[in-house]
Amino acid sequence: MTGRIPEETVQEVLRATDIVNVVSEYVQLKKQGRNFFGLCPFHGENTPSFSVSPEKQIYHCFGCGAGGNVFKFLMDIEGVSFQEAVQKLADKAGIELRVRFDRRAEDPALRERERMMEAHLFLQRFYHHLLVHTKEGQEALDYLQKRGFTKEIIEEFQIGYAPASRDAALTVLRKRGFPQDLLEKAGIIVKREEEDAYFDRFRGRVMFPIHDPGGNTVAFSGRSLSDAAPKYLNSPETKIFQKGRILFNFHRARPKIRKKGAAVLFEGFADCISAYRAGIDNGISVMGTSLTEEHVRLIRRNTDLVILCFDGDSAGKRAAVRAGEMLRQGGCQVRVAALPEGLDPDEYIARYGPEKFRRDVIENSLTLIAYKMQLFREGKNLADEGERARYIEEVQKELASLDSPVEQEIYLRQLADEFSLSLDALKENQRKIQRAKRRNQPLSPSRVPVPAEREKKLKPAHYNAERLLIAHMLRSRTIAAKVREKLAGQSFSVSEHQKIADCLYDFYENGNLPNLSHFLALLPDEGLQKLTAEIAMLPVKEEPEEQELNDYIKSVLNYQKLLKIKEKEREGKQAEREHNYRKAAEIAMEILQLRKSL
């Protein structure tokens, strides 16, 4: 990596960039007061503690302590260097840096990952060309068009065709300088040990590219033209492709998910594409695996509401319930778009059309509890008293998982009305169920008592005073100069606070105006950046009164005097042990003077 970005160019990029817009590409933000809040992308949480300040152009997580300016955010979320973060934002803003950075040259692991992505991107274009523009791909193109795939959909999803030749991909990639061992690691080719030869993993299949959240092509799924087993063949897990972290179509659907405030989750990518053809542009799907906690966190950072649209068979219903519970526990509102028995979304759309799918399935989705109630009814004769009692008991046990008493009452009233039961009797039974559940339930992390020694202690007055002074100093060069003068050479008691103050004095002496994002970029280490961002988020007055500042400074200076008194007391005791009573008396007078000055 060569070249250095001039400081004035860094500042130009900062001025042209809005941190809220950048963070919003990764985190669903909602405005609360002057700041925006969302779920922290750097640690798992269900309650938003991640704050972004458009005024200060910084972010801070009150949960894990992450914080900094827009460059720091990109560095942490994408694992890039400072120079690469500046370069990326400069490109977005149309600012020419005149120096380019490529960290791959000095990081072999990163270079290997990027080469794998380059190979996949090249193959995506190669397969797409074969499908759309060659006789070799005509059979596959006919196959797709018979199944309702339009030219626009084929283009949008970059669907392609892998020829039946055993080494077409291997040959074309080797000609472009991709080594064999890298292609094997990337899952593109397979080694046949008995022949000591390599051949393409995908042959004679319709090819569907799979992308990571950033839009990079990282894998493929190949569909057999003849329904020969396996019907779908997926790339293996590699350094760039982990099923538990990838959601099909997420990179394309994310803006729509945020705009609509909801995601539609399907079991497979074929259903997701069919739904897209039917006008569902906020659809995503898992990649041949169950929903994972990583998937839930990715979804939750972008929306609060998820509509599940799984297959209508018994396996699909069980999967919908499991996924719904995971999403609910992850903090999402969950609805279920139920399909008729035996149909999947693709089949339903083919049989009844896009409009009916949108209106009768997606828009007519049920809450998770309502969907479970529907499942509890299946196979039961509710005219039979015993089966009716079992159904009501099952529903009430399920209602015990609801946090909202209002929501519980809605469903209890439904039961009371449907079966002509006393609402009071149902409520009493509900209370019994919930008491029993609480007795048998282990304490959740949020309910586990915290040992006294681990409880967060209140910080002393001088500590808080130092933080509040720094918060004001970050906003005003005049206040910083005033604080420096009144401290008269005395340091803050917390070394990190003093380091921030020293950097801030230098910052202002170099002619800079208050600019928090600029200042953060100049701090020497990550710890100071996080602490400064945290302090900057403290709620302080725009223009503090003189007395307020004087009180803070007095608290800081008094603490220094108290430390001096303790030091003198130790010296006095030492003088007495040495029988130097004259010195002990002099020290006692010094202590007296210090106490008077407090």
Side-chain angles (χ1 to χ4, degrees):
M1 185 181 296
T2 58
R4 180 179 180 275
I5 307 174
E7 183 58 33
E8 57 269 22
T9 305
V10 172
Q11 293 315 304
E12 184 184 0
V13 174
L14 275 177
R15 287 192 296 271
T17 303
D18 182 359
I19 191 171
V20 175
N21 291 339
V22 175
V23 174
S24 291
E25 293 179 17
Y26 304 86
V27 181
Q28 181 192 20
L29 296 175
K30 293 181 179 178
K31 191 168 187 185
Q32 294 179 21
R34 299 170 74 169
N35 294 339
F36 290 80
F37 285 84
L39 294 174
C40 180
F42 304 116
H43 81 287
E45 62 176 7
N46 292 336
T47 304
S49 62
F50 183 82
S51 175
V52 182
S53 169
E55 175 190 353
K56 300 168 185 172
Q57 287 294 299
I58 64 169
Y59 69 95
H60 175 68
C61 176
F62 297 96
C64 69
N69 64 7
V70 69
F71 297 141
K72 185 68 171 62
F73 179 81
L74 273 186
M75 289 163 67
D76 287 346
I77 198 104
E78 293 199 355
V80 297
S81 67
F82 172 75
Q83 291 90 342
E84 288 170 311
V86 176
Q87 181 175 295
K88 181 167 184 173
L89 293 175
D91 290 343
K92 278 191 173 184
I95 297 170
E96 186 179 354
L97 292 187
R98 295 189 177 87
V99 289
R100 304 298 292 181
F101 299 90
D102 187 357
R103 197 167 53 135
R104 298 174 303 177
E106 60 186 41
D107 188 338
L110 181 61
R111 176 59 177 160
E112 183 178 72
R113 286 175 54 85
E114 295 211 354
R115 286 291 282 167
M116 286 182 179
M117 290 180 188
E118 288 169 9
H120 277 86
L121 179 59
F122 178 84
L123 268 191
Q124 172 186 302
R125 292 169 176 166
F126 174 64
Y127 289 150
H128 182 68
H129 173 78
L130 289 178
L131 176 73
V132 176
H133 299 295
T134 70
K135 290 182 180 179
E136 197 171 5
Q138 189 62 49
E139 181 187 356
L141 186 61
D142 292 342
Y143 168 87
L144 287 168
Q145 290 175 338
K146 284 177 184 175
R147 281 155 180 77
F149 285 77
T150 63
K151 288 182 179 179
E152 290 75 18
I153 290 294
I154 290 170
E155 190 66 34
E156 178 68 33
F157 286 87
Q158 283 291 288
I159 301 168
Y161 171 68
S165 166
R166 63 177 282 161
D167 60 357
L170 173 60
T171 301
V172 74
L173 286 168
R174 284 179 65 181
K175 283 181 180 178
R176 278 154 183 80
F178 291 96
Q180 220 165 235
D181 61 334
L182 179 126
L183 298 178
E184 185 182 16
K185 287 180 185 177
I188 292 170
I189 62 174
V190 178
K191 186 175 185 180
R192 182 170 288 169
E193 296 294 344
E194 59 270 21
E195 298 178 23
D196 193 27
Y198 291 91
F199 61 94
D200 295 352
R201 179 177 298 276
F202 301 101
R203 303 184 305 280
R205 289 176 178 269
V206 174
M207 301 298 289
F208 297 89
I210 298 163
H211 303 85
D212 66 14
N216 302 299
T217 310
V218 294
F220 291 99
S221 184
R223 209 289 188 188
S224 168
L225 290 175
S226 61
D227 287 341
K231 184 177 177 181
Y232 285 99
L233 178 64
N234 296 328
S235 294
E237 296 217 342
T238 64
K239 286 184 178 180
I240 60 173
F241 175 57
Q242 295 88 41
K243 295 177 184 178
R245 296 184 175 183
I246 299 281
L247 288 166
F248 180 79
N249 199 46
F250 183 79
H251 71 293
R252 185 181 291 105
R254 178 159 52 186
K256 304 298 182 182
I257 289 171
R258 288 184 175 152
K259 184 178 179 181
K260 295 181 176 180
V264 183
L265 180 65
F266 297 94
E267 277 190 278
F269 74 86
D271 292 329
C272 186
I273 294 175
S274 294
Y276 187 91
R277 286 156 47 198
I280 307 299
D281 55 7
N282 56 336
I284 53 179
S285 75
V286 291
M287 283 304 311
T289 185
S290 299
L291 195 71
T292 66
E293 291 182 3
E294 191 78 23
H295 289 145
V296 172
R297 283 193 289 270
L298 181 60
I299 293 169
R300 180 67 178 87
R301 288 201 296 265
N302 290 275
T303 185
D304 299 324
L305 175 61
V306 183
I307 301 170
L308 300 173
C309 188
F310 285 15
D311 293 355
D313 58 14
S314 56
K317 292 173 183 176
R318 289 194 300 269
V321 170
R322 284 195 303 270
E325 283 301 328
M326 282 191 69
L327 288 160
R328 187 180 63 81
Q329 290 167 15
C332 293
Q333 300 175 47
V334 182
R335 299 185 69 87
V336 183
L339 287 164
E341 182 69 42
L343 289 183
D344 61 31
D346 184 32
E347 292 165 339
Y348 186 97
I349 293 166
R351 184 178 298 183
Y352 298 109
E355 186 179 343
K356 188 173 175 64
F357 177 72
R358 290 194 303 270
R359 185 187 65 242
D360 294 354
V361 178
I362 302 299
E363 294 174 13
N364 199 33
S365 61
L366 306 169
T367 65
L368 183 59
I369 291 292
Y371 180 70
K372 287 184 176 182
M373 289 171 68
Q374 186 173 286
L375 296 184
F376 291 153
R377 300 177 80 99
E378 290 182 359
K380 287 189 177 71
N381 176 13
L382 296 183
D384 179 84
E385 187 175 323
E387 294 198 29
R388 185 166 65 247
R390 280 199 301 277
Y391 166 72
I392 293 169
E393 187 74 9
E394 283 179 322
V395 171
Q396 289 204 262
K397 284 180 180 178
E398 195 58 46
L399 294 181
S401 66
L402 293 177
D403 295 325
S404 167
V406 173
E407 199 175 354
Q408 282 191 10
E409 176 147 345
I410 289 171
Y411 291 110
L412 289 175
R413 284 186 181 277
Q414 283 185 19
L415 289 175
D417 291 344
E418 183 178 0
F419 298 109
S420 301
L421 297 171
S422 161
L423 180 60
D424 289 338
L426 287 174
K427 285 184 176 180
E428 178 57 32
N429 192 48
Q430 193 67 39
R431 284 191 285 270
K432 288 180 182 177
I433 290 170
Q434 288 182 280
R435 283 196 296 269
K437 184 178 180 182
R438 282 195 294 270
R439 282 197 301 271
N440 297 327
Q441 191 175 43
L443 287 176
S444 67
S446 62
R447 294 170 58 207
V448 175
V450 179
E453 65 272 17
R454 289 178 57 198
E455 289 181 0
K456 193 172 184 179
K457 295 179 181 178
L458 289 174
K459 297 294 184 182
H462 73 276
Y463 178 92
N464 292 324
E466 289 178 3
R467 287 164 63 90
L468 289 166
L469 281 173
I470 292 171
H472 286 297
M473 291 161 66
L474 289 166
R475 289 169 172 259
S476 167
R477 187 161 58 175
T478 303
I479 290 176
K482 192 178 295 185
V483 170
R484 190 177 194 180
E485 179 187 346
K486 291 193 174 186
L487 286 176
Q490 293 290 328
S491 298
F492 287 135
S493 61
V494 179
S495 61
E496 289 82 0
H497 293 171
Q498 188 58 44
K499 287 177 185 176
I500 294 170
D502 288 340
C503 290
L504 195 53
Y505 297 146
D506 291 342
F507 180 74
Y508 288 144
E509 283 176 358
N510 288 332
N512 294 301
L513 294 172
N515 184 318
L516 185 57
S517 189
H518 181 190
F519 178 62
L520 286 172
L522 299 176
L523 287 174
D525 65 66
E526 184 177 334
L528 286 185
Q529 290 173 359
K530 286 184 177 180
L531 180 58
T532 304
E534 180 182 338
I535 291 172
M537 286 292 193
L538 293 174
V540 294
K541 295 178 182 176
E542 289 290 336
E543 295 182 12
E545 296 176 3
E546 189 75 18
Q547 187 57 47
E548 181 186 352
L549 292 176
N550 288 337
D551 288 344
Y552 296 150
I553 290 168
K554 184 179 180 181
S555 180
V556 173
L557 292 175
N558 280 352
Y559 182 71
Q560 299 292 340
K561 292 174 184 176
L562 288 171
L563 291 178
K564 188 72 173 175
I565 289 170
K566 287 182 180 178
E567 182 185 339
K568 289 294 179 183
E569 286 174 342
R570 285 194 296 271
E571 289 179 10
K573 287 178 182 178
Q574 182 63 29
E576 288 176 358
R577 283 195 293 270
E578 295 172 353
H579 306 294
N580 189 345
Y581 299 111
R582 182 176 177 177
K583 183 178 180 181
E586 289 173 352
I587 291 172
M589 287 300 296
E590 289 181 49
I591 292 173
L592 184 61
Q593 292 301 317
L594 285 169
R595 289 192 185 280
K596 283 182 179 179
S597 68
L598 289 174

